[in-house]
Amino acid sequence: MNANQKEVIEGMRKLITKLTEADTAYYKHDDLLMTDREYDRKMDQLRSLEEESGIILSGSPTQKVSGEILEELVSVRHTKPMLSADKTKSVDELVKFAGGRDVVLSWKMDGLTLVLRYEDGALQQAITRGREGIIGEDVTHTVRKFDNVPLAIPVKEPIEVRGEGVISWENFEKINLRLEEPYGHPRNLASGSTRKLNAAEAGKRHLEFAAFELVTDRQMDTKAEQLAFMEQLGFLVVPYIRIPSADDAKIRQAVAEMKPEEFAYPVDGLILEQDDIVYGKSLGSTGHHENRLMALKWEDELYETKFLRLETAVTRNGMVSLTGIFESVEIGGTEVSRAYLHNLDIFEKLSLGQGDTIQVYKANMIIPQIAENQTKSGTEKIPSTCPCCGGSLQVHKTSGGTRQLFCENPNCAAKLVQKFVHFCDKTRMDIEGLSEKTLEKFISMGWIRNFGDLYALEQYREEIIRTEGFGEKSFARLQASIDKSRHCTLNQFIAGMGIPMVGRSAGRIISRHFGGDWNAFEQAVRDGFDFTVLPDFGETMHNNIYQWYADEEAAKLWRPLLEHIIFEKENATMSTDNTTFAGKTIVATGKLQNYTRDEIQMKITSLGAKAASSVSKKTDYLIAGEKAGSKLAKAQQLGVRILTEQEFEEMLAE
């Protein structure tokens, strides 16, 4: 063996090690050690070395379909190997592959490949592709929780439906917001969710199944016929275009019609398949792929730009995300100026610094990524403090072996997103334009640390209007809503604090007792006022108010607010003209035509009545709207007088 051959073999071994580590992290831990572009590049390098040398080492990922079995799930053997597709980045290769025959072009959806087995018309088993496409994992318990998987079909003979478990871009963004550790891509979220042992938890993830192949003894001549049959059985089928007598022009036109940026689900290419099933089978297969189909992987077009800075943000579990900001470039018709860096390892590998010349692209024509740094100044250092609370950051290793930055301050405002959501709610301080997603973004950027900061967002106006989803008009609407909420009632304030068991009803009672005066309420707390003397206040509610007021960390959140708001007395005053309901206990339930839930509560209170939330023997009236439900049934059982909304208003008029 000469020196050059030794060098080639050593290079192959290094590539195999890196690719295997990436596969393990991706398939077993749903983690990302390298970008898709880098993975494909290393795989291409390995294939090239194997072809040039004629040597293929054991364990080479070019000889098997990637995948790993989780120890906690049962292994299942596939009825036939689930091989991959040969890949190309050239449309010319697709034309050559078609050879003028009828073909079918479809999306190569980017999720977790699954096999669904049906017997006697019922779903019996769901299996992942798994190791080498031969042995997968039984995930029937979670697949039954998918949004669109038919549990029964009108076919009695045994069949298998193969397809992809996916999550739409829209659901990916919504789900990621409520996860403790957000995912970098829908494919990882789909994979991790499907492998969950807790089926109920997986059921919250809005997973979907898109079918692309039918395994059956039923005679079918074409792929298009097979896809149409699966649609008839109730399956969502991967969108496709049938191209008869496919020539160069027809294939290029069909490829041009497939626009990934407009598609609801993540994709990583296109699949071209021979329509004639018998002919396709006659083409045979290799140990890696079937010759009847070919995948088109888009050529990533690189764009040169200048790196500006690193942007950090904190998620609600304390993980600090890293985003590269660069001079704006147009890619695929949109302006791109930022790319998420998945972990600390990728950040360090790029050696970024202000002014560096970098190359960027859109992975799968969707997700902006930094491909490489040509100058590598390395002047941009790993952040040491949390952008939200200023606390020190720690480096943690994930289960997949990658490193992430974390803020470990339990009182970091980024971990208190739900408190801000509660405070801004329509039934509390009523600040429109601050959704959970927007609040999480503003808090993670360090623009909001306490409730008072909500009233000082003007100082970040320029940054906010450049934030995705915002502009001049949306910021103006937000600012108007914030300014409107500066004048609030003591009831709104108390309800917005999130004091356990002290909500809107209790807030109204407190506000009425202290005349809507914050100073009177605060002085009463300082003097040891006994809140149990108030209607419906017990010992626990009394203690909760005192614990909230004495909590120094909680005070850091709400006390700065007092500098920005003006307390006003409730507009609703107790009516003296109508005594029908004075002193009565009234429950309202169901959907009312003329009142929101909060408005009917205020109306009841203004009549000198008690607005209760549950029906009991002490209830005098139940106002029942549409879909009244269990409260109506209980009122009937207890003999409580039931009023329609119209009857309630007629009694008011009297």
Side-chain angles (χ1 to χ4, degrees):
M1 183 185 294
N2 57 44
N4 183 58
Q5 198 170 15
K6 284 183 178 179
E7 189 175 326
V8 168
I9 291 174
E10 184 59 30
M12 289 164 62
R13 283 180 176 146
K14 288 180 179 178
L15 286 168
I16 290 170
T17 299
K18 290 289 184 185
L19 289 166
T20 302
E21 287 174 351
D23 280 344
T24 301
Y26 175 71
Y27 287 99
K28 190 170 182 177
H29 302 291
D30 305 307
D31 211 342
L32 197 69
L33 285 183
M34 61 182 72
T35 63
D36 289 348
R37 177 184 173 82
E38 187 177 356
Y39 183 92
D40 289 342
R41 186 170 59 190
K42 290 186 185 300
M43 185 68 86
D44 289 342
Q45 288 174 353
L46 180 57
R47 283 199 187 97
S48 178
L49 290 175
E50 289 176 345
E51 289 172 5
E52 290 173 11
S53 66
I55 299 171
I56 298 177
L57 301 175
S58 62
S60 172
T62 65
Q63 302 304 299
K64 60 183 180 181
V65 180
S66 299
E68 190 70 35
I69 297 177
L70 299 183
E71 293 83 358
E72 296 87 349
L73 297 175
V74 176
S75 299
V76 182
R77 181 173 291 273
H78 291 294
T79 54
K80 73 168 191 174
M82 291 198 70
L83 301 179
S84 187
D86 199 8
K87 297 178 178 65
T88 182
K89 291 190 176 182
S90 166
V91 177
D92 291 337
E93 285 294 318
L94 290 188
V95 175
K96 182 179 176 182
F97 168 81
R101 299 180 185 86
D102 298 348
V103 292
V104 173
L105 184 70
S106 63
W107 292 112
K108 186 175 183 295
M109 296 185 75
D110 199 4
L112 177 69
T113 305
L114 297 167
V115 176
L116 309 188
R117 291 179 177 174
Y118 289 83
E119 291 182 18
D120 198 27
L123 175 64
Q124 296 296 320
Q125 198 169 40
I127 313 159
T128 66
R129 185 174 65 182
R131 184 177 65 239
E132 301 180 25
I134 296 173
I135 298 176
E137 310 116 8
D138 189 324
V139 288
T140 313
H141 64 304
T142 53
V143 170
R144 287 183 180 277
K145 297 291 185 180
F146 276 34
D147 285 354
N148 66 342
V149 168
L151 300 181
I153 57 175
V155 172
K156 295 302 179 184
E157 73 264 26
I159 66 168
E160 286 187 0
V161 178
R162 298 184 169 190
E164 203 79 2
V166 292
I167 290 176
S168 68
W169 286 109
E170 181 182 1
N171 283 327
F172 170 68
E173 292 179 3
K174 291 179 181 177
I175 295 164
N176 239 0
L177 284 175
R178 62 175 188 254
L179 296 179
E180 287 191 358
E181 189 169 341
Y183 284 81
H185 192 280
R187 103 168 67 87
N188 304 82
L189 179 55
S191 178
S193 301
T194 305
R195 286 185 168 97
K196 275 192 169 294
L197 296 179
N198 185 339
E201 187 63 30
K204 302 174 184 176
R205 303 287 178 86
H206 292 292
L207 292 147
E208 296 177 73
F209 177 77
F212 58 66
E213 184 182 1
L214 182 67
V215 181
T216 178
D217 292 332
R218 182 176 293 220
Q219 182 60 41
M220 291 191 185
D221 297 325
T222 67
K223 179 69 177 184
E225 182 184 353
Q226 187 186 88
L227 292 168
F229 180 68
M230 288 191 290
E231 283 187 293
Q232 291 172 11
L233 296 180
F235 290 94
L236 168 67
V237 169
V238 174
Y240 65 95
I241 300 173
R242 185 178 181 274
I243 312 173
S245 305
D247 58 17
D248 186 281
K250 289 180 180 178
I251 289 177
R252 290 185 187 279
Q253 180 182 346
V255 169
E257 289 176 16
M258 307 288 267
K259 302 181 186 298
E261 65 276 9
E262 297 175 4
F263 193 47
Y265 301 88
V267 295
D268 60 350
L270 300 173
I271 293 283
L272 192 70
E273 184 171 355
Q274 295 292 340
D275 192 35
D276 188 319
I277 292 175
V278 173
Y279 174 73
K281 288 181 178 178
S282 73
L283 297 177
S285 63
T286 69
H288 176 267
H289 62 265
E290 296 186 75
N291 295 326
R292 63 185 172 87
L293 41 79
M294 178 172 283
L296 175 70
K297 300 279 283 186
W298 289 291
E299 190 76 55
D300 295 321
E301 191 170 353
L302 299 177
Y303 296 81
E304 192 172 285
T305 184
K306 296 289 184 184
F307 180 80
L308 298 178
R309 67 184 187 279
L310 185 71
E311 182 179 279
T312 57
V314 195
T315 61
R316 66 182 69 175
N317 75 324
M319 190 184 80
V320 178
S321 64
L322 307 175
T323 301
I325 309 298
F326 44 83
E327 290 182 357
S328 180
V329 290
E330 185 177 319
I331 305 179
T334 59
E335 291 293 319
V336 178
S337 60
R338 53 199 300 118
Y340 177 60
L341 306 175
H342 293 279
N343 52 56
L344 203 54
D345 303 278
I346 290 175
F347 167 73
E348 290 185 341
K349 191 180 296 183
L350 288 169
S351 296
L352 296 164
Q354 186 175 358
D356 277 353
T357 300
I358 60 173
Q359 289 189 318
V360 298
Y361 69 104
K362 276 189 175 180
N364 302 328
M365 301 176 72
I366 296 287
I367 307 172
Q369 300 281 313
I370 298 176
E372 57 182 281
N373 182 3
Q374 296 179 325
T375 47
K376 292 196 171 187
S377 68
T379 56
E380 191 73 54
K381 301 303 180 186
I382 298 173
S384 59
T385 57
C386 173
C388 185
C389 70
S392 61
L393 300 180
Q394 302 295 324
V395 178
H396 292 180
K397 260 198 174 184
T398 67
S399 56
T402 59
R403 295 179 303 144
Q404 299 281 11
L405 283 173
F406 280 85
C407 171
E408 297 185 334
N409 175 12
N411 298 305
C412 178
K415 300 178 183 180
L416 306 176
V417 173
Q418 291 304 321
K419 289 185 180 291
F420 287 89
V421 172
H422 179 90
F423 178 83
C424 296
D425 187 81
K426 184 178 181 180
T427 60
R428 281 105 189 174
M429 295 298 285
D430 191 17
I431 304 178
E432 294 183 17
L434 286 178
S435 65
E436 181 174 351
K437 184 176 181 180
T438 300
L439 281 166
E440 188 166 69
K441 177 66 176 176
F442 286 10
I443 293 168
S444 70
M445 296 299 296
W447 300 337
I448 300 173
R449 293 181 172 85
N450 57 61
F451 293 148
D453 288 340
L454 292 165
Y455 297 85
L457 286 174
E458 177 67 33
Q459 62 183 310
Y460 301 109
R461 179 181 176 280
E462 293 305 315
E463 292 98 320
I464 291 173
I465 62 175
R466 291 197 301 267
T467 300
E468 185 178 354
F470 265 83
E472 296 277 0
K473 290 183 179 179
S474 55
F475 180 81
R477 286 194 296 269
L478 171 61
Q479 192 61 52
S481 181
I482 289 171
D483 289 340
K484 182 181 176 183
S485 73
R486 292 178 190 275
H487 295 262
C488 73
T489 63
L490 180 59
N491 169 28
Q492 288 176 290
F493 180 91
I494 294 294
M497 291 300 98
I499 306 168
M501 297 179 67
V502 183
R504 288 172 289 164
S505 296
R508 278 191 287 271
I509 294 170
I510 291 172
S511 183
R512 190 185 310 132
H513 183 83
F514 293 103
D517 187 339
W518 160 259
N519 292 324
F521 166 74
E522 185 173 31
Q523 189 58 51
V525 175
R526 289 174 175 170
D527 293 342
F529 177 78
D530 182 4
F531 285 93
T532 62
V533 302
L534 299 181
D536 299 318
F537 269 70
E539 192 70 30
T540 302
M541 293 171 70
H542 168 90
N543 292 336
N544 288 347
I545 291 173
Y546 278 96
Q547 287 172 8
W548 162 76
Y549 188 82
D551 188 332
E552 293 182 2
E553 291 300 328
K556 290 178 183 177
L557 195 63
W558 62 263
R559 193 164 283 283
L561 175 64
L562 298 175
E563 299 176 12
H564 300 275
I565 60 174
I566 298 171
F567 287 99
E568 295 188 344
K569 292 186 177 181
E570 302 272 5
N571 290 326
T573 56
M574 188 177 294
S575 171
T576 56
D577 297 329
N578 189 305
T579 59
T580 303
F581 298 109
K584 304 296 185 182
T585 298
I586 304 174
V587 175
T589 187
K591 183 179 179 181
L592 302 176
Q593 296 299 315
N594 300 315
Y595 302 92
T596 64
R597 179 176 291 186
D598 211 42
E599 286 169 349
I600 191 64
Q601 300 281 332
M602 291 288 290
K603 184 64 177 177
I604 292 169
T605 303
S606 72
L607 298 170
K610 173 191 171 185
S613 58
S614 59
V615 176
S616 70
K617 292 179 180 179
K618 296 180 180 180
T619 305
D620 295 294
Y621 296 99
L622 175 77
I623 304 171
E626 294 179 21
K627 299 179 181 178
S630 61
K631 290 181 183 178
L632 175 59
K634 189 169 184 180
Q636 292 170 333
Q637 180 185 352
L638 295 174
V640 173
R641 184 174 176 185
I642 298 167
L643 304 175
T644 64
E645 185 175 357
Q646 183 178 351
E647 288 172 335
F648 172 67
E649 292 185 332
E650 287 173 354
M651 291 175 70
L652 287 178
E654 292 172 3

